[in-house]
Coordinates of all heavy atoms in Angstrom, one line a residue:
R40 N -8.4 -2.1 17.5 CA -9.7 -1.4 18.0 C -9.4 -0.3 19.0 O -8.4 -0.5 19.8 CB -10.6 -2.5 18.6 CG -11.2 -3.4 17.5 CD -12.3 -4.3 18.2 NE -11.9 -4.9 19.4 CZ -11.4 -6.1 19.5 NH1 -11.2 -6.9 18.5 NH2 -11.1 -6.6 20.7
I41 N -10.1 0.7 19.0 CA -10.0 1.8 19.9 C -11.4 1.9 20.7 O -12.3 2.4 20.1 CB -9.7 3.1 19.3 CG1 -8.3 3.0 18.5 CG2 -9.5 4.2 20.3 CD1 -8.0 4.1 17.7
G42 N -11.5 1.5 21.9 CA -12.6 1.4 22.5 C -13.7 0.4 22.0 O -13.2 -0.6 21.2
A43 N -15.0 0.6 22.2 CA -15.9 -0.3 21.8 C -16.6 0.0 20.2 O -17.1 -0.9 19.6 CB -17.2 -0.3 22.7
Q44 N -16.2 1.2 19.8 CA -16.9 1.6 18.5 C -16.0 2.0 17.5 O -16.3 2.3 16.3 CB -17.9 2.8 18.7 CG -19.1 2.4 19.6 CD -20.0 3.5 19.8 OE1 -19.5 4.7 20.0 NE2 -21.3 3.2 19.7
W45 N -14.7 2.1 17.7 CA -13.6 2.6 16.7 C -12.7 1.5 16.4 O -12.2 0.8 17.2 CB -13.0 3.9 17.3 CG -13.8 5.0 17.4 CD1 -14.6 5.3 18.6 CD2 -14.2 6.0 16.5 NE1 -15.4 6.4 18.3 CE2 -15.0 6.8 17.2 CE3 -13.9 6.3 15.2 CZ2 -15.6 7.9 16.5 CZ3 -14.2 7.3 14.5 CH2 -15.1 8.2 15.2
K46 N -12.0 1.6 15.2 CA -11.0 0.7 14.8 C -10.2 1.6 13.9 O -10.5 2.3 13.0 CB -11.5 -0.3 14.0 CG -10.5 -1.4 13.4 CD -11.1 -2.6 12.9 CE -10.0 -3.7 12.5 NZ -10.7 -4.8 11.9
I47 N -8.7 1.5 14.0 CA -7.8 2.2 13.2 C -7.1 1.1 12.4 O -6.7 0.1 12.9 CB -6.8 3.0 14.0 CG1 -6.0 4.0 13.1 CG2 -6.0 2.4 14.9 CD1 -5.3 5.1 13.7
S48 N -6.8 1.3 11.1 CA -6.2 0.5 10.2 C -5.1 1.2 9.3 O -5.2 2.3 9.1 CB -7.1 -0.3 9.4 OG -8.1 -0.9 10.0
I49 N -4.1 0.4 9.0 CA -3.0 0.9 8.1 C -2.8 -0.2 7.0 O -2.8 -1.4 7.4 CB -1.7 1.3 8.8 CG1 -0.6 2.0 7.8 CG2 -1.1 0.1 9.6 CD1 0.5 2.5 8.4
E50 N -2.6 0.3 5.8 CA -2.2 -0.7 4.7 C -1.1 0.1 3.8 O -1.3 1.4 3.4 CB -3.4 -1.1 3.9 CG -3.1 -2.1 2.8 CD -4.4 -2.6 2.2 OE1 -5.4 -2.4 2.8 OE2 -4.2 -3.1 1.1
A51 N -0.1 -0.6 3.4 CA 1.1 0.0 2.6 C 1.6 -0.9 1.8 O 1.8 -2.2 2.1 CB 2.2 0.7 3.5
R52 N 1.9 -0.6 0.5 CA 2.5 -1.4 -0.4 C 3.8 -0.5 -1.1 O 3.5 0.6 -1.3 CB 1.7 -1.8 -1.5 CG 0.5 -2.6 -1.1 CD 0.8 -4.1 -0.9 NE -0.4 -4.9 -0.6 CZ -1.0 -4.8 0.5 NH1 -0.6 -4.3 1.6 NH2 -2.0 -5.7 0.7
A53 N 4.8 -1.1 -1.3 CA 6.0 -0.4 -1.9 C 6.8 -1.3 -2.9 O 7.0 -2.5 -2.6 CB 6.9 0.0 -0.9
Y54 N 7.0 -0.8 -4.2 CA 7.7 -1.5 -5.2 C 9.1 -0.9 -5.2 O 9.2 0.3 -5.4 CB 7.0 -1.4 -6.6 CG 5.7 -2.0 -6.6 CD1 4.5 -1.3 -6.1 CD2 5.4 -3.3 -6.9 CE1 3.2 -2.0 -6.1 CE2 4.2 -4.0 -7.0 CZ 3.2 -3.3 -6.5 OH 1.9 -3.8 -6.7
V55 N 10.1 -1.6 -5.2 CA 11.5 -1.1 -5.0 C 12.4 -1.7 -6.0 O 12.3 -2.9 -6.3 CB 12.1 -1.3 -3.7 CG1 13.5 -0.8 -3.5 CG2 11.3 -0.8 -2.6
A56 N 13.2 -0.9 -6.7 CA 14.1 -1.3 -7.8 C 13.5 -2.2 -8.8 O 14.0 -3.2 -9.2 CB 15.3 -2.0 -7.1
V57 N 12.4 -1.8 -9.4 CA 11.7 -2.5 -10.6 C 12.4 -2.3 -11.8 O 12.5 -1.2 -12.3 CB 10.3 -2.2 -10.5 CG1 9.6 -3.0 -11.6 CG2 9.5 -2.2 -9.2
A58 N 12.9 -3.4 -12.3 CA 13.8 -3.4 -13.6 C 12.8 -3.2 -14.7 O 11.6 -3.6 -14.7 CB 14.6 -4.6 -13.8
P59 N 13.2 -2.4 -15.9 CA 12.4 -2.2 -17.1 C 11.9 -3.5 -17.7 O 10.8 -3.5 -18.2 CB 13.4 -1.5 -18.0 CG 14.3 -0.8 -17.1 CD 14.5 -1.7 -16.0
N60 N 12.6 -4.6 -17.6 CA 12.2 -5.9 -18.2 C 11.4 -6.8 -17.3 O 11.0 -7.9 -17.6 CB 13.3 -6.6 -18.8 CG 14.4 -7.0 -17.8 OD1 14.4 -6.4 -16.6 ND2 15.3 -7.8 -18.1
D61 N 11.1 -6.2 -16.1 CA 10.2 -7.0 -15.0 C 8.8 -6.8 -15.4 O 8.3 -5.7 -15.6 CB 10.6 -6.5 -13.7 CG 10.0 -7.3 -12.6 OD1 8.8 -7.6 -12.6 OD2 10.7 -7.7 -11.6
P62 N 8.0 -7.9 -15.3 CA 6.6 -7.7 -15.5 C 5.8 -6.7 -14.7 O 4.7 -6.2 -15.0 CB 6.0 -9.2 -15.2 CG 7.2 -10.1 -15.5 CD 8.4 -9.2 -15.1
L63 N 6.5 -6.4 -13.5 CA 5.9 -5.4 -12.6 C 6.2 -3.9 -12.9 O 5.8 -3.1 -12.1 CB 6.2 -5.7 -11.2 CG 5.8 -7.0 -10.4 CD1 6.3 -7.2 -9.1 CD2 4.2 -6.9 -10.5
Y64 N 7.0 -3.8 -13.9 CA 7.4 -2.4 -14.3 C 6.3 -1.4 -14.4 O 6.5 -0.3 -13.9 CB 8.3 -2.5 -15.6 CG 8.9 -1.1 -15.9 CD1 10.0 -0.8 -15.1 CD2 8.5 -0.4 -16.9 CE1 10.7 0.5 -15.3 CE2 9.2 0.9 -17.1 CZ 10.3 1.2 -16.3 OH 11.0 2.4 -16.6
S65 N 5.2 -1.8 -14.9 CA 4.1 -0.7 -15.0 C 3.5 -0.4 -13.7 O 2.9 0.6 -13.5 CB 2.9 -1.4 -15.9 OG 2.5 -2.5 -15.2
L66 N 3.8 -1.1 -12.6 CA 3.5 -0.8 -11.3 C 4.5 0.0 -10.4 O 4.3 0.2 -9.2 CB 3.1 -2.0 -10.5 CG 1.9 -2.9 -11.1 CD1 1.7 -4.1 -10.3 CD2 0.7 -2.1 -11.2
R67 N 5.7 0.3 -11.0 CA 6.8 0.9 -10.2 C 6.4 2.2 -9.5 O 7.0 2.3 -8.5 CB 8.0 1.1 -11.1 CG 7.8 2.2 -12.2 CD 8.8 2.3 -13.3 NE 8.6 3.3 -14.2 CZ 7.8 3.3 -15.2 NH1 6.9 2.3 -15.2 NH2 7.5 4.3 -16.0
N68 N 5.4 2.9 -9.9 CA 5.1 4.1 -9.3 C 3.7 3.9 -8.5 O 3.1 5.0 -8.1 CB 4.9 5.3 -10.3 CG 6.2 5.5 -11.0 OD1 7.3 5.6 -10.3 ND2 6.2 5.8 -12.3
D69 N 3.3 2.7 -8.3 CA 2.1 2.6 -7.6 C 2.1 2.2 -6.1 O 1.3 1.5 -5.5 CB 1.3 1.3 -8.3 CG 0.7 1.8 -9.7 OD1 0.9 2.9 -10.0 OD2 0.3 0.8 -10.4
D70 N 3.3 2.8 -5.4 CA 3.4 2.6 -3.9 C 2.1 3.3 -3.4 O 1.6 4.4 -3.8 CB 4.6 3.3 -3.5 CG 5.9 2.7 -4.1 OD1 5.8 1.6 -4.6 OD2 6.9 3.3 -3.9
Y71 N 1.6 2.8 -2.2 CA 0.7 3.6 -1.6 C 0.6 3.3 0.1 O 1.2 2.3 0.4 CB -0.8 3.3 -2.2 CG -1.3 2.0 -1.8 CD1 -2.2 1.8 -0.7 CD2 -1.0 0.8 -2.6 CE1 -2.7 0.5 -0.5 CE2 -1.6 -0.4 -2.3 CZ -2.5 -0.5 -1.2 OH -3.0 -1.7 -0.9
L72 N 0.1 4.3 0.6 CA -0.1 4.3 2.1 C -1.6 4.6 2.4 O -2.0 5.8 1.9 CB 0.8 5.2 2.8 CG 0.8 5.3 4.3 CD1 1.1 3.9 5.0 CD2 1.7 6.4 4.7
Q73 N -2.3 3.9 3.2 CA -3.6 4.2 3.6 C -3.9 4.0 5.0 O -3.5 3.0 5.7 CB -4.5 3.3 2.8 CG -6.0 3.3 3.1 CD -6.9 2.4 2.2 OE1 -6.8 2.2 1.1 NE2 -7.8 1.5 3.1
F74 N -4.5 5.0 5.6 CA -4.8 5.1 6.9 C -6.4 5.0 7.0 O -7.0 5.7 6.2 CB -4.4 6.2 7.9 CG -2.9 6.2 8.0 CD1 -2.2 7.1 7.2 CD2 -2.4 5.5 9.0 CE1 -0.7 6.9 7.4 CE2 -1.0 5.6 9.3 CZ -0.2 6.3 8.4
E75 N -7.0 4.3 7.9 CA -8.4 4.3 8.0 C -8.9 4.4 9.4 O -8.4 3.6 10.3 CB -9.0 3.0 7.3 CG -10.4 2.9 7.4 CD -10.9 1.6 6.8 OE1 -10.5 0.5 7.1 OE2 -11.9 1.6 5.8

C-alpha cells in the first residue's frame, strides 16, 4: 500500500527450458510481467 488510497502490485511468471515432450511446451512463450 502507498498511503491510504493507493496500492502497487507486481506479478510475474517465467517458463524456463521447457522440453518439446513436456506437457507445458505450449506455454513456453507465455512468460509475463504485470505491474498494477
Side-chain angles (χ1 to χ4, degrees):
R40 289 191 309 269
I41 303 171
Q44 296 180 317
W45 294 90
K46 184 176 183 179
I47 190 167
S48 302
I49 184 173
E50 187 173 341
R52 302 279 186 277
Y54 298 87
V55 179
V57 183
N60 59 343
D61 191 306
L63 291 175
Y64 188 71
S65 63
L66 301 175
R67 70 192 179 283
N68 296 321
D69 287 354
D70 301 343
Y71 74 93
L72 175 64
Q73 174 181 311
F74 290 99
E75 179 180 55

